[in-house]
Amino acid sequence: MKKVVGYAHLKPAGEGYDLMYLYVAPEYRRRGIAKEIMNGLINFAEKRGKNITLEVRKSNCNAIDLYTGLGFKKISERKRYYSDGEDAWIMCLTELR
Ligand SMILES: CC(C)(COP(=O)(O)OP(=O)(O)OC[C@H]1O[C@@H](n2cnc3c(N)ncnc32)[C@H](O)[C@@H]1OP(=O)(O)O)[C@@H](O)C(=O)NCCC(=O)NCCS
């Protein structure tokens, strides 16, 4: 039986796409699943000549490392973006592959 161990949601936004969610079940982490999901989404966007923008908690170093490794760069920040008051980095792909 197949089971869902990770998911993402990419939403059209303006001229490109916004990454709304990315999640991998805790027992399946550190196996490259998020990287594979993200590479699929990047290919999808780039085939259409579009960029992906995302927001990430400034404290979420694991996700920031993942996105940086995939070619995303911090382009600005959003103060108190999250309901608990934490700031977000806004990141996007700086070079289409
Ligand atoms: C962030 C998250 C999606 C990563 O999923 P994952 O499948 O474990 O990630 P991968 O195995 O593909 O890791 C890819 C890279 O991300 C970074 N990374 C991911 N988890 C990490 C960890 N626990 N510690 C350090 N680096 C980590 C590393 O750079 C890693 O590359 P490496 O394995 O070559 O070192 C997962 O931890 C998660 O679902 N977290 C909760 C939800 C969340 O924070 N989503 C992002 C919201 S913006």
Side-chain angles (χ1 to χ4, degrees), residues 55-87:
E55 290 84 18
V56 58
R57 283 180 182 270
K58 285 193 174 179
S59 63
N60 195 347
C61 301
N62 297 342
I64 293 169
D65 282 355
L66 163 71
Y67 299 136
T68 303
L70 288 163
F72 285 84
K73 296 246 159 54
K74 294 169 184 165
I75 51 161
S76 60
E77 60 182 331
R78 284 211 173 112
K79 293 281 183 198
R80 303 185 61 79
Y81 179 73
Y82 296 99
S83 54
D84 62 2
E86 187 171 352
D87 299 346

Side-chain angles (χ1 to χ4, degrees), residues 80-96:
R80 303 185 61 79
Y81 179 73
Y82 296 99
S83 54
D84 62 2
E86 187 171 352
D87 299 346
W89 286 118
I90 301 176
M91 301 182 79
C92 73
L93 288 169
T94 47
E95 275 176 33
L96 297 189

